[in-house]
Every structure is written in C-alpha cells, then in structure tokens.
C-alpha cells in the first residue's frame, strides 16, 4: 500500500465532460482510486476547504468558482502519491504546465485549472478527511 493524495476535478472540467479522460490518465499513471464522489459544494464548504487561502486576493473568486457547479472529489493511492500527482497535473498556471500534464491538456486558466492536488502528505490527510469518512474508502 502506498501513501495518499487528494484531488478534485473542478467544475469547469466536469462541465466540459473531461471527467472520464482525466480519471483515465490518473489510473493509467498508476494511482489507485480509494474513494470518489460527485458533489456540489456550498460556498461555505468551498470556503472552509480553501481556508488556507483566506487572505489571498483571489479567495472570493475561488470560493465562488468551486461552489459554482459539481466537482469530482477523490482519494488516490500510490507510492510517493503527493509528489507524483503534482508532476502529473503540472503547474498551477496551465500556461506554465509542461506538455503532457493534465493541466496543460484540460485547464482553461490559472483560476479554472481543471484539477486540484494536495501539496503535502499532511494536507492530503486533512483534505481526504474533509470529504470522506473512513467507511467510504476501499
Ligand atoms: P489549487 O491547486 O486548487 O489551489 C488553490 C487554487 O487557487 C489554485 O489551484 C487555483 O485554482 C487558484 N489560484 C491560485 N492562484 C491564483 C491566482 N493568482 N488567481 C486566481 N486563482 C488562483
């Protein structure tokens, strides 16, 4: 068993019909889906999830966007999950994301960047716990 990371396929990518293609990339890169659901976050839940960014100028826009439509939330397992997943998704700004990364292929812009990936093992656990009970993990 490897360690975990947490991801969300963001509203604009779900709306565009990229869910299947993104999940296919994730699985073909060796990540195992431990838990997954489609959920429409309330502004309050989205704000709590991104509370770490509360003081940033883009916080309100981020909360509005992330609560603007359903997302796919998932826990992924693999050795070195956090770092390998960040390599797979590419830079936060898709203009800087390397060719072949998920954001280079599917993201629209810095704010609408298709997918979220945890930035540390500690945050992966916090974010996974935010969305999933232990009974929902397999
Ligand atoms: P994510 O990896 O989900 O973590 C925080 C999110 O905030 C990030 O992806 C982007 O969607 C968004 N974000 C980061 N920086 C900016 C910015 N400068 N302007 C707008 N949105 C941003």
């Amino acid at each position: 068993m490897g360690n975990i990371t947490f991801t969300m396929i963001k509203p604009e990518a779900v709306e565009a019909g990229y869910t299947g293609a993104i999940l296919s990339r994730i699985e073909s890169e060796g990540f195992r889906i431990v838990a997954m659901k489609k959920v429409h976050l309330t502004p309050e839940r989205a704000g709590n999830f991104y509370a770490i960014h509360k003081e940033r100028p883009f916080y309100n826009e981020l909360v509005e966007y992330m609560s603007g439509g359903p997302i796919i939330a998932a826990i992924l397992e693999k050795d070195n999950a956090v770092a390998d997943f960040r390599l797979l998704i590419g830079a936060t700004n898709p203009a800087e994301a390397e060719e072949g990364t998920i954001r280079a292929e599917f993201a629209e812009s810095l704010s609408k960047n298709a997918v979220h990936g945890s930035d540390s093992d500690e945050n992966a656990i916090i974010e996974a716990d935010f969305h999933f009970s232990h009974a929902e993990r397999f």
Side-chain angles (χ1 to χ4, degrees):
M1 189 170 131
N3 57 351
I4 61 158
T5 190
F6 172 78
T7 187
M8 294 182 287
I9 303 176
K10 298 188 177 185
E12 97 283 4
V14 171
E15 163 109 32
Y18 297 149
T19 299
I22 291 173
L23 290 174
S24 173
R25 280 297 308 281
I26 290 171
E27 283 196 308
S28 68
E29 296 291 334
F31 292 87
R32 194 176 76 77
I33 297 171
V34 173
M36 183 165 67
K37 65 180 144 194
K38 188 171 192 177
V39 59
H40 193 152
L41 297 174
T42 62
E44 190 187 4
R45 289 273 295 163
N48 288 342
F49 182 87
Y50 281 115
I52 195 168
H53 295 306
K54 210 173 172 88
E55 304 308 324
R56 305 280 201 101
F58 57 83
Y59 178 71
N60 288 342
E61 179 197 344
L62 178 61
V63 170
E64 193 180 329
Y65 156 57
M66 288 302 293
S67 58
I71 59 153
I72 306 293
I75 301 173
L76 306 173
E77 182 186 69
K78 184 182 185 291
D79 286 341
N80 207 28
V82 168
D84 283 2
F85 193 67
R86 288 176 76 80
L87 278 179
L88 174 61
I89 65 179
T92 305
N93 185 347
E96 292 161 14
E98 297 218 7
E99 210 183 311
T101 61
I102 288 176
R103 281 173 172 155
E105 189 170 353
F106 297 105
E108 239 179 77
S109 63
L110 171 58
S111 49
K112 297 183 175 177
N113 63 356
V115 285
H116 167 81
S118 307
D119 64 4
S120 65
D121 288 342
E122 189 188 12
N123 282 336
I125 290 165
I126 292 169
E127 293 172 359
D129 288 347
F130 183 93
H131 285 274
F132 295 98
S133 72
H134 282 264
E136 293 174 296
R137 304 177 194 195
F138 302 93

